[in-house]
Amino acid sequence: NDLNGNTIGVWYVGYPISTLTVLGKSIESMRILENGFISLLDNKNEVVFNSSHVQPELIKQLRTSSSDESGWVLRKVDFSKWGYTILAGYPEDDVYSQVNSATWMVVLFGLILTAFLSGVCFIIFKRVILTPINRLKEYSGRLAIGDVSFVVESKSKDELGDLENAFATVVSSINEHALSAQKIAEGDLNLTISQKSDKDILGISMQKVFNSLQNLISELKSLSNSAVAGELSSRGNTQLFNGAYKEIV
């Protein structure tokens, strides 16, 4: 306007209508959580653009409602210079649904992790404990039927490994005495009976049998030589023997 108030020109500042079209398409594709929306309202509080999955009637109902009344979480942002208001909202149930989904995911992950750790623990338990125990059970069964033709091998250095080593010592001792008894049964007395300790009843008994057989053979040879020499009055030394051995002499 000039000094007299007459209009001498117009200066217009605005934005191309295509800008609103791009904005509208962008808003239509927006979604908050599962069912939330974004909408653009004009200065008359009418819906210009909104998320495509929500009906404008619902937005009209919510634009004047509070979160407590509607069950929606709502947020308004005014752009007074442009004459527009952005209204965004989402149902409270969506939050609960997201929390429940996250909770179930955590529970499911925990179950999977627990199952995995249980499997790992079982494999370790089986390898470290069950397998050695099953081996010892097998060894005991074979030993119970007199089978000593096996070697106990310890593959661990823990308490079960110590038990296997002790079992191996027992089997080795029994096997050694069994071989000695086998040689004696075959008439081979050119051997030495070993005794593990003064409590080794099997070794001590084997030594007594061995000594008795040696003495018996010696006495029988002496009696045989005396008979050949015509000394029929010669008698064996019965003091060296007990039981059936004494009756033989």
Coordinates of all heavy atoms in Angstrom, one line a residue, residues 159-235:
E159 N 38.2 -88.0 40.4 CA 37.9 -89.0 41.4 C 37.6 -90.3 40.7 O 38.0 -91.4 41.2 CB 36.8 -88.6 42.4 CG 37.2 -87.5 43.4 CD 37.2 -86.1 42.7 OE1 36.9 -86.0 41.5 OE2 37.6 -85.2 43.4
L160 N 36.8 -90.2 39.6 CA 36.5 -91.5 38.9 C 37.7 -92.1 38.2 O 37.8 -93.3 38.1 CB 35.4 -91.1 37.8 CG 34.0 -91.0 38.3 CD1 33.1 -90.5 37.2 CD2 33.4 -92.2 38.9
G161 N 38.6 -91.2 37.8 CA 39.9 -91.8 37.3 C 40.7 -92.5 38.4 O 41.2 -93.6 38.1
D162 N 40.7 -91.9 39.6 CA 41.3 -92.6 40.7 C 40.6 -94.0 41.0 O 41.3 -95.0 41.3 CB 41.3 -91.8 42.0 CG 42.1 -90.5 41.8 OD1 43.0 -90.5 40.9 OD2 41.8 -89.5 42.5
L163 N 39.3 -94.0 40.9 CA 38.6 -95.3 41.1 C 38.9 -96.3 40.1 O 39.1 -97.5 40.4 CB 37.1 -95.0 41.1 CG 36.2 -96.2 41.4 CD1 36.5 -96.8 42.7 CD2 34.7 -95.8 41.3
E164 N 39.0 -95.8 38.8 CA 39.4 -96.7 37.7 C 40.8 -97.3 37.9 O 41.1 -98.4 37.7 CB 39.3 -96.0 36.4 CG 37.9 -95.9 35.9 CD 37.8 -95.2 34.5 OE1 38.6 -94.2 34.3 OE2 37.0 -95.7 33.7
N165 N 41.7 -96.4 38.4 CA 43.1 -96.9 38.7 C 43.1 -97.9 39.8 O 43.9 -98.9 39.7 CB 44.0 -95.7 39.0 CG 44.3 -94.8 37.9 OD1 44.3 -95.2 36.7 ND2 44.4 -93.5 38.1
A166 N 42.3 -97.7 40.8 CA 42.3 -98.6 41.9 C 41.7 -100.0 41.4 O 42.2 -101.0 41.8 CB 41.4 -98.1 43.1
F167 N 40.7 -99.9 40.6 CA 40.1 -101.1 40.0 C 41.1 -101.8 39.1 O 41.1 -103.0 39.1 CB 38.8 -100.7 39.2 CG 37.9 -101.8 39.0 CD1 36.9 -102.1 39.9 CD2 37.9 -102.6 37.9 CE1 36.0 -103.1 39.8 CE2 37.1 -103.7 37.7 CZ 36.1 -103.9 38.6
A168 N 41.9 -101.0 38.4 CA 42.9 -101.7 37.5 C 43.9 -102.4 38.4 O 44.4 -103.5 38.0 CB 43.6 -100.6 36.7
T169 N 44.3 -101.8 39.5 CA 45.2 -102.5 40.4 C 44.6 -103.8 40.9 O 45.3 -104.9 41.0 CB 45.6 -101.6 41.6 OG1 46.1 -100.4 41.1 CG2 46.6 -102.3 42.5
V170 N 43.4 -103.8 41.3 CA 42.7 -105.1 41.8 C 42.7 -106.1 40.7 O 43.0 -107.3 40.9 CB 41.3 -104.7 42.2 CG1 40.5 -106.0 42.5 CG2 41.3 -103.8 43.4
V171 N 42.3 -105.7 39.5 CA 42.2 -106.6 38.3 C 43.6 -107.2 38.0 O 43.8 -108.4 37.8 CB 41.6 -106.0 37.1 CG1 41.7 -106.8 35.9 CG2 40.2 -105.6 37.4
S172 N 44.6 -106.3 38.0 CA 46.0 -106.8 37.8 C 46.5 -107.8 38.8 O 47.1 -108.8 38.4 CB 46.9 -105.5 37.8 OG 48.3 -105.9 37.6
S173 N 46.1 -107.5 40.1 CA 46.5 -108.5 41.1 C 45.8 -109.8 41.0 O 46.5 -110.9 41.0 CB 46.2 -107.9 42.5 OG 46.5 -108.8 43.5
I174 N 44.5 -109.8 40.7 CA 43.8 -111.0 40.5 C 44.3 -111.8 39.3 O 44.5 -113.0 39.3 CB 42.3 -110.7 40.4 CG1 41.7 -110.2 41.7 CG2 41.5 -112.0 40.0 CD1 40.3 -109.8 41.6
N175 N 44.6 -111.0 38.2 CA 45.1 -111.6 37.0 C 46.4 -112.3 37.2 O 46.7 -113.4 36.7 CB 45.2 -110.6 35.9 CG 45.4 -111.1 34.5 OD1 44.8 -112.2 34.2 ND2 46.2 -110.5 33.7
E176 N 47.3 -111.6 38.0 CA 48.6 -112.2 38.3 C 48.5 -113.5 39.1 O 49.1 -114.5 38.8 CB 49.4 -111.2 39.1 CG 50.8 -111.6 39.4 CD 51.6 -110.5 40.2 OE1 51.1 -109.4 40.2 OE2 52.7 -110.9 40.7
H177 N 47.6 -113.5 40.1 CA 47.4 -114.7 40.9 C 46.7 -115.8 40.0 O 47.0 -117.0 40.2 CB 46.5 -114.4 42.1 CG 47.2 -113.6 43.1 ND1 48.6 -113.8 43.4 CD2 46.8 -112.6 43.9 CE1 48.9 -112.9 44.4 NE2 47.8 -112.2 44.7
A178 N 45.8 -115.4 39.1 CA 45.2 -116.4 38.2 C 46.2 -117.0 37.3 O 46.2 -118.3 37.1 CB 44.1 -115.7 37.4
L179 N 47.2 -116.3 36.8 CA 48.2 -116.8 35.9 C 49.1 -117.8 36.7 O 49.5 -118.8 36.2 CB 49.0 -115.7 35.3 CG 48.3 -114.8 34.3 CD1 49.2 -113.7 33.8 CD2 47.9 -115.7 33.1
S180 N 49.4 -117.4 38.0 CA 50.2 -118.3 38.8 C 49.5 -119.6 39.1 O 50.0 -120.7 39.0 CB 50.5 -117.6 40.2 OG 51.3 -116.5 40.0
A181 N 48.2 -119.5 39.4 CA 47.4 -120.7 39.6 C 47.3 -121.6 38.4 O 47.4 -122.8 38.5 CB 46.0 -120.3 40.1
Q182 N 47.2 -121.0 37.2 CA 47.2 -121.7 36.0 C 48.5 -122.5 35.8 O 48.5 -123.6 35.3 CB 46.9 -120.8 34.8 CG 46.8 -121.4 33.5 CD 46.5 -120.4 32.3 OE1 46.4 -119.3 32.6 NE2 46.2 -121.0 31.2
K183 N 49.6 -121.8 36.1 CA 50.9 -122.5 35.9 C 51.1 -123.6 36.9 O 51.6 -124.7 36.5 CB 52.1 -121.5 36.1 CG 52.2 -120.5 35.0 CD 53.4 -119.6 35.2 CE 53.6 -118.6 34.0 NZ 54.8 -117.7 34.2
I184 N 50.6 -123.4 38.1 CA 50.7 -124.5 39.1 C 49.8 -125.7 38.7 O 50.2 -126.8 38.8 CB 50.2 -124.0 40.5 CG1 51.2 -123.0 41.0 CG2 50.0 -125.1 41.5 CD1 50.8 -122.3 42.3
A185 N 48.6 -125.4 38.1 CA 47.7 -126.4 37.7 C 48.4 -127.2 36.5 O 48.1 -128.4 36.3 CB 46.4 -125.8 37.2
E186 N 49.2 -126.6 35.7 CA 49.9 -127.2 34.6 C 51.2 -127.9 35.1 O 51.9 -128.5 34.3 CB 50.2 -126.2 33.5 CG 48.9 -125.6 32.9 CD 49.3 -124.5 31.9 OE1 50.4 -124.0 31.9 OE2 48.3 -124.0 31.2
G187 N 51.5 -127.8 36.4 CA 52.7 -128.5 36.9 C 54.0 -127.6 36.9 O 55.1 -128.1 37.1
D188 N 53.8 -126.4 36.5 CA 55.0 -125.5 36.4 C 55.2 -124.8 37.8 O 54.4 -123.9 38.1 CB 54.8 -124.5 35.3 CG 56.0 -123.6 35.1 OD1 57.0 -123.8 35.8 OD2 55.9 -122.6 34.3
L189 N 56.2 -125.2 38.5 CA 56.5 -124.6 39.8 C 57.7 -123.6 39.8 O 58.2 -123.2 40.8 CB 56.7 -125.7 40.9 CG 55.6 -126.6 41.1 CD1 56.0 -127.6 42.2 CD2 54.3 -125.9 41.5
N190 N 58.1 -123.3 38.6 CA 59.2 -122.4 38.4 C 58.7 -120.9 38.3 O 58.7 -120.3 37.3 CB 60.0 -122.7 37.1 CG 60.7 -124.0 37.2 OD1 61.2 -124.4 38.3 ND2 60.7 -124.8 36.1
L191 N 58.1 -120.5 39.4 CA 57.6 -119.2 39.5 C 57.7 -118.6 40.9 O 58.0 -119.3 41.8 CB 56.1 -119.2 39.0 CG 55.2 -120.2 39.8 CD1 54.5 -119.6 41.0 CD2 54.1 -120.7 38.8
T192 N 57.4 -117.4 41.0 CA 57.4 -116.7 42.3 C 56.1 -116.1 42.6 O 55.5 -115.4 41.7 CB 58.5 -115.6 42.3 OG1 59.8 -116.1 42.0 CG2 58.5 -114.9 43.6
I193 N 55.5 -116.4 43.7 CA 54.2 -115.9 44.1 C 54.4 -114.5 44.8 O 55.1 -114.5 45.8 CB 53.5 -116.8 45.1 CG1 53.4 -118.2 44.4 CG2 52.1 -116.3 45.4 CD1 52.6 -118.3 43.2
S194 N 53.8 -113.5 44.3 CA 54.0 -112.2 44.8 C 52.9 -111.9 45.8 O 51.7 -112.3 45.6 CB 54.0 -111.1 43.8 OG 52.8 -111.1 43.0
Q195 N 53.2 -111.2 46.9 CA 52.2 -110.8 47.9 C 52.2 -109.3 48.0 O 53.2 -108.7 48.2 CB 52.5 -111.4 49.3 CG 52.5 -113.0 49.2 CD 52.9 -113.6 50.6 OE1 52.8 -112.9 51.6 NE2 53.3 -114.8 50.6
K196 N 51.0 -108.7 47.8 CA 50.9 -107.3 47.8 C 51.1 -106.7 49.2 O 51.6 -105.6 49.4 CB 49.6 -106.8 47.3 CG 49.3 -107.4 45.9 CD 50.3 -107.0 44.9 CE 50.0 -107.6 43.5 NZ 51.1 -107.3 42.5
S197 N 50.7 -107.4 50.2 CA 50.8 -107.0 51.6 C 50.5 -108.1 52.6 O 50.2 -109.2 52.1 CB 49.8 -105.8 51.9 OG 48.5 -106.3 51.9
D198 N 50.6 -107.9 53.8 CA 50.4 -108.9 54.8 C 48.9 -109.2 54.9 O 48.4 -110.1 55.6 CB 50.9 -108.6 56.2 CG 50.4 -107.2 56.7 OD1 49.7 -106.6 55.9 OD2 50.6 -106.9 57.8
K199 N 48.0 -108.4 54.2 CA 46.6 -108.7 54.2 C 46.1 -109.3 52.9 O 44.9 -109.4 52.6 CB 45.8 -107.4 54.4 CG 46.1 -106.7 55.8 CD 45.3 -105.5 56.0 CE 45.6 -104.9 57.4 NZ 45.4 -105.8 58.5
D200 N 47.1 -109.6 52.0 CA 46.8 -110.2 50.7 C 46.5 -111.7 50.9 O 47.4 -112.6 50.8 CB 48.0 -110.0 49.8 CG 47.6 -110.5 48.4 OD1 46.5 -111.0 48.1 OD2 48.6 -110.5 47.5
I201 N 45.3 -112.0 51.3 CA 44.9 -113.4 51.7 C 45.1 -114.3 50.5 O 45.6 -115.5 50.6 CB 43.4 -113.5 52.2 CG1 43.3 -112.6 53.4 CG2 43.0 -114.9 52.4 CD1 41.9 -112.6 54.0
L202 N 44.7 -113.9 49.3 CA 44.8 -114.7 48.1 C 46.3 -115.0 47.8 O 46.7 -116.1 47.5 CB 44.2 -114.0 46.9 CG 44.2 -114.8 45.6 CD1 43.6 -116.1 45.7 CD2 43.6 -114.0 44.4
G203 N 47.2 -114.0 47.9 CA 48.6 -114.2 47.6 C 49.2 -115.1 48.7 O 50.0 -116.0 48.4
I204 N 48.9 -114.9 50.0 CA 49.4 -115.7 51.1 C 49.0 -117.2 50.9 O 49.8 -118.1 51.0 CB 48.9 -115.2 52.4 CG1 49.6 -113.8 52.7 CG2 49.3 -116.1 53.5 CD1 49.1 -113.1 53.9
S205 N 47.7 -117.4 50.5 CA 47.2 -118.7 50.3 C 47.8 -119.4 49.1 O 48.2 -120.6 49.2 CB 45.7 -118.7 50.1 OG 45.0 -118.1 51.3
M206 N 48.0 -118.6 48.1 CA 48.7 -119.2 46.9 C 50.1 -119.6 47.3 O 50.7 -120.6 46.8 CB 48.8 -118.1 45.8 CG 47.4 -117.9 45.1 SD 46.9 -119.3 44.1 CE 48.2 -119.2 42.8
Q207 N 50.8 -118.8 48.1 CA 52.2 -119.1 48.5 C 52.2 -120.4 49.4 O 53.1 -121.3 49.2 CB 52.7 -118.0 49.3 CG 54.2 -118.1 49.7 CD 55.1 -118.2 48.5 OE1 55.1 -117.3 47.7 NE2 55.9 -119.2 48.4
K208 N 51.2 -120.6 50.3 CA 51.1 -121.8 51.1 C 50.9 -123.0 50.2 O 51.5 -124.1 50.4 CB 50.0 -121.7 52.1 CG 50.2 -120.7 53.2 CD 49.1 -120.7 54.2 CE 49.4 -119.8 55.4 NZ 48.2 -119.7 56.3
V209 N 50.0 -122.9 49.2 CA 49.8 -124.0 48.2 C 51.1 -124.4 47.5 O 51.5 -125.5 47.3 CB 48.7 -123.7 47.2 CG1 48.6 -124.7 46.1 CG2 47.3 -123.6 48.0
F210 N 51.7 -123.3 47.1 CA 53.0 -123.5 46.3 C 54.1 -124.2 47.2 O 54.7 -125.1 46.7 CB 53.5 -122.1 45.9 CG 54.8 -122.2 45.1 CD1 54.8 -122.6 43.8 CD2 56.0 -121.8 45.7 CE1 56.0 -122.6 43.1 CE2 57.2 -121.8 45.0 CZ 57.2 -122.2 43.7
N211 N 54.2 -123.7 48.5 CA 55.2 -124.4 49.4 C 54.8 -125.8 49.7 O 55.7 -126.7 49.7 CB 55.2 -123.6 50.7 CG 55.8 -122.2 50.5 OD1 56.6 -121.9 49.5 ND2 55.5 -121.3 51.4
S212 N 53.5 -126.1 49.9 CA 53.1 -127.4 50.2 C 53.4 -128.3 49.0 O 53.8 -129.5 49.2 CB 51.6 -127.4 50.5 OG 51.3 -126.7 51.7
L213 N 53.1 -127.9 47.8 CA 53.4 -128.7 46.6 C 54.9 -129.0 46.4 O 55.3 -130.1 46.1 CB 52.8 -128.0 45.3 CG 51.3 -128.0 45.2 CD1 50.9 -127.2 44.0 CD2 50.8 -129.4 45.1
Q214 N 55.7 -128.0 46.7 CA 57.1 -128.2 46.6 C 57.6 -129.2 47.6 O 58.4 -130.1 47.3 CB 57.9 -126.8 46.8 CG 57.8 -125.9 45.5 CD 58.8 -124.8 45.7 OE1 58.8 -124.2 46.8 NE2 59.4 -124.4 44.6
N215 N 57.1 -129.0 48.9 CA 57.5 -130.0 49.9 C 57.0 -131.4 49.6 O 57.7 -132.4 49.9 CB 56.9 -129.5 51.3 CG 57.6 -128.3 51.8 OD1 58.8 -128.0 51.4 ND2 56.9 -127.4 52.6
L216 N 55.8 -131.5 49.1 CA 55.2 -132.8 48.7 C 56.0 -133.4 47.7 O 56.3 -134.7 47.8 CB 53.8 -132.6 48.3 CG 53.0 -133.8 47.9 CD1 52.9 -134.8 49.1 CD2 51.6 -133.5 47.4
I217 N 56.4 -132.7 46.7 CA 57.2 -133.3 45.6 C 58.6 -133.7 46.1 O 59.1 -134.8 45.8 CB 57.4 -132.2 44.5 CG1 56.1 -132.0 43.7 CG2 58.5 -132.7 43.5 CD1 56.1 -130.9 42.7
S218 N 59.1 -132.9 47.0 CA 60.4 -133.2 47.6 C 60.3 -134.5 48.4 O 61.2 -135.4 48.3 CB 60.9 -132.1 48.5 OG 62.1 -132.4 49.1
E219 N 59.3 -134.6 49.3 CA 59.1 -135.8 50.1 C 58.8 -137.1 49.2 O 59.3 -138.2 49.5 CB 58.0 -135.6 51.1 CG 58.3 -134.6 52.2 CD 59.5 -135.1 53.0 OE1 59.5 -136.3 53.4 OE2 60.3 -134.3 53.3
L220 N 58.0 -136.9 48.2 CA 57.7 -138.0 47.3 C 59.0 -138.5 46.6 O 59.2 -139.7 46.4 CB 56.6 -137.7 46.3 CG 55.2 -137.5 46.9 CD1 54.2 -137.0 45.8 CD2 54.7 -138.8 47.6
K221 N 59.8 -137.6 46.2 CA 61.0 -138.0 45.5 C 61.9 -138.7 46.5 O 62.6 -139.7 46.2 CB 61.8 -136.7 45.0 CG 61.2 -136.1 43.7 CD 62.0 -135.0 43.3 CE 61.5 -134.4 42.0 NZ 62.4 -133.2 41.5
S222 N 62.0 -138.2 47.8 CA 62.8 -138.9 48.8 C 62.3 -140.3 49.1 O 63.1 -141.2 49.2 CB 62.8 -138.0 50.1 OG 63.5 -138.7 51.1
L223 N 61.0 -140.5 49.2 CA 60.4 -141.8 49.5 C 60.7 -142.7 48.3 O 60.9 -143.9 48.4 CB 58.9 -141.7 49.8 CG 58.6 -141.0 51.1 CD1 57.1 -140.8 51.2 CD2 59.1 -141.8 52.3
S224 N 60.5 -142.2 47.1 CA 60.8 -143.0 45.9 C 62.2 -143.4 45.8 O 62.5 -144.6 45.5 CB 60.4 -142.2 44.6 OG 60.7 -142.9 43.4
N225 N 63.1 -142.5 46.1 CA 64.6 -142.9 46.1 C 64.9 -144.0 47.1 O 65.6 -144.9 46.9 CB 65.4 -141.7 46.3 CG 65.4 -140.7 45.1 OD1 65.1 -141.2 44.0 ND2 65.6 -139.5 45.4
S226 N 64.2 -143.8 48.3 CA 64.4 -144.8 49.4 C 63.9 -146.2 49.0 O 64.5 -147.2 49.3 CB 63.8 -144.3 50.7 OG 64.3 -143.1 51.1
A227 N 62.8 -146.2 48.3 CA 62.2 -147.5 47.9 C 63.1 -148.1 46.9 O 63.2 -149.4 46.9 CB 60.8 -147.2 47.4
V228 N 63.6 -147.4 46.0 CA 64.5 -147.9 44.9 C 65.7 -148.5 45.6 O 66.3 -149.5 45.2 CB 64.9 -146.8 43.9 CG1 66.0 -147.3 43.0 CG2 63.6 -146.4 43.1
A229 N 66.2 -147.8 46.7 CA 67.4 -148.3 47.4 C 67.1 -149.4 48.3 O 68.0 -150.0 49.0 CB 68.0 -147.1 48.1
G230 N 65.8 -149.8 48.5 CA 65.5 -151.0 49.3 C 65.2 -150.5 50.8 O 65.0 -151.4 51.6
E231 N 65.2 -149.2 51.0 CA 65.0 -148.8 52.4 C 63.4 -148.5 52.5 O 62.9 -147.4 52.6 CB 65.7 -147.5 52.6 CG 67.2 -147.6 52.5 CD 67.9 -146.3 52.6 OE1 67.2 -145.3 52.8 OE2 69.2 -146.2 52.5
L232 N 62.7 -149.7 52.7 CA 61.3 -149.6 52.8 C 60.8 -149.1 54.1 O 59.6 -148.7 54.2 CB 60.7 -151.0 52.5 CG 61.0 -151.6 51.2 CD1 60.4 -153.0 51.0 CD2 60.6 -150.7 50.0
S233 N 61.6 -149.0 55.1 CA 61.2 -148.5 56.4 C 61.3 -146.9 56.4 O 60.9 -146.3 57.4 CB 62.1 -149.0 57.5 OG 63.5 -148.6 57.2
S234 N 61.7 -146.3 55.4 CA 61.9 -144.8 55.4 C 60.5 -144.2 55.3 O 59.6 -144.7 54.5 CB 62.7 -144.4 54.2 OG 62.8 -143.0 54.1
R235 N 60.3 -143.1 56.0 CA 59.0 -142.4 56.1 C 59.2 -140.9 55.8 O 60.2 -140.4 56.0 CB 58.3 -142.6 57.5 CG 57.9 -144.0 57.8 CD 56.8 -144.5 56.9 NE 56.3 -145.8 57.2 CZ 56.8 -146.9 56.7 NH1 57.8 -146.8 55.7 NH2 56.4 -148.1 57.0

